[in-house]
Amino acid sequence: MAADERGVTPQSENFSAWYNDLVVKAQLVDRGPAKGTMVIRPYGYRIWELLQAELDRRIKDTGHDNAYFPLFIPESYLRREAEHVAGFAPELAVVTHAGGKQLEEPLVVRPTSETIIGEMMAKWVSSYRDLPLLLNQWANVVRWELRPRVFLRTTEFLWQEGHTAHADEADARRETRLMLDTYEEVARDIAAIAVVTGEKTPGERFAGAVSTQTIEGMMRDGKALQSGTSHYLGENFARAFDIAYTDVSGERKLCHTTSWGMSTRMIGGVIMTHGDDKGLVLPPRLAPYQVVIVPIGRGEKGEAAVAAARELAGRIKAAGVRVHIDDRLQLSPGFKFNDWEMKGVPIRLELGPRDIEAGTVLMAKRLGAEGKQTLSLETVAQDLPKLLDEFQDYLLARATRFREDNTVGVDGWEHFTEAVGTGWARAFHCGEAKCEDEIKAATAATPRCVPFDGVSESGACVRCGTPSAYGKRVIFGRSY
Ligand SMILES: [Zn+2]
């Protein structure tokens, strides 16, 4: 069969080709004209909007306010925090000319907004009464990518970035963890990605952070996807931007700040956690259409089926379910079935003249190993919310099992290289950056995190044999 007819390259044949085929065939994106840019098409953007709404509600419920800061940042701002500028310099896009003239000071297109928000925080905070200052911004950012991948690494991407200022370390660390827990909840309960939460090793920290916490998901090729990070920035940015306050006793003190972000990368995570050879598999909570009705039949009978589908769709919508009727006349039912499977719609309902006569409807679930089921036309609308919840739970259970099956505790080097070839390894590590680099050079695996729920134990570094540094095993894996 030609590649076009069979849909997408099979996952088992070439995971990366499968992904690249799928994002285009499912009409999520198109490539932008400038290298590394992407056009997010309506179907893909709707997934982002659904995720965004879930996250935004939680950000507000935890006391944060949305604001908007400029896209252009004076280059000098980035230089004020030495580690920050060193970390981001290779990825910066810089505007040197505008309005037909060379600018006096170049402007950086924001790669992240700690610096410009820090400058404003310094203006807005003066007393302990102004704290904590809890801000969030929904925006696009630009990081020049040498090896772009749609959703995973694009030169421009969409995200939210939270930025907060606190009176002391304890409050800032509490905030850092609170937002990581929020990310974990969204990943698990909305995207059905079975993430592991933990602390990044020093070599993997955000540039300028004291501590970086992460949620890591396992993709179906066994690689890790860092899906959200939360940083405790200590006094580093407060010192650089003079974010300070007067405490109760009149003493001037530096604030402790945090930042945290989740991006359109999550859509890549959803694709690679759940998708298969037929296409996308969307968790119902992120599915633009949770249910698609395909009316079947030609001529008068076809028209009757469309009318019955409209009536049914009205009742399904009233039950709070996102439903779509595929009434494209020129296309065969078989084509439509494949099309909605490619687009990952959780539940498909088929409604033909015989079903209408019998008062039934045929249901096919996206991963339906059980085949098609006959349901009552009268009660299906009220049954769908529960069926969708079950599908959502099933996807999370399946992803959790996959992660567990592909994560192994290892002690020897040989066993380690084998484990990170197909999944994740839990291993002791000395914590030395040089040793991490050697592991990466030899296996392409990096420390993903020191998991919060790891058992307390110690042993010899899997690479160099030096005693372990973290009091527990570190998760290693290849990553995106
Ligand atoms: Zn070592």
Side-chain angles (χ1 to χ4, degrees), residues 184-199:
E184 182 194 12
E185 184 182 300
V186 168
R188 184 192 59 216
D189 297 348
I190 306 303
I193 301 177
V195 292
V196 164
T197 58
E199 176 93 20

Side-chain angles (χ1 to χ4, degrees), residues 428-432 434-436 438-439 460-467:
F428 292 115
H429 191 248
C430 62
E432 293 302 322
K434 189 171 156 277
C435 188
E436 280 182 15
E438 278 177 29
I439 291 174
C461 173
V462 73
R463 174 75 187 175
C464 70
T466 315

Side-chain angles (χ1 to χ4, degrees), residues 55 59 136 160-162 178-188 195 215 227-230 259-262 266:
L55 184 53
I59 288 171
N136 179 61
Q160 62 67 222
E161 48 179 321
L178 172 70
M179 298 326 288
L180 191 83
D181 290 347
T182 303
Y183 290 155
E184 182 194 12
E185 184 182 300
V186 168
R188 184 192 59 216
V195 292
I215 57 170
S227 308
T229 46
S230 186
S259 66
W260 27 276
M262 185 178 259
M266 274 292 281

Side-chain angles (χ1 to χ4, degrees), residues 16-59:
S16 167
W18 167 81
Y19 181 85
N20 291 336
D21 287 351
L22 181 50
V23 290
V24 173
K25 290 231 162 161
Q27 298 184 351
L28 299 177
V29 292
D30 222 323
R31 276 165 234 294
K35 187 180 177 234
T37 61
M38 65 173 167
V39 175
I40 308 179
R41 299 183 67 176
Y43 195 67
Y45 198 76
R46 186 73 187 114
I47 298 173
W48 173 240
E49 284 181 321
L50 289 161
L51 180 79
Q52 190 183 33
E54 292 286 352
L55 184 53
D56 192 60
R57 178 166 59 76
R58 287 168 174 82
I59 288 171

Side-chain angles (χ1 to χ4, degrees), residues 447-458:
R448 304 317 305 157
C449 69
V450 184
F452 291 137
D453 67 357
V455 183
S456 287
E457 52 180 331
S458 48

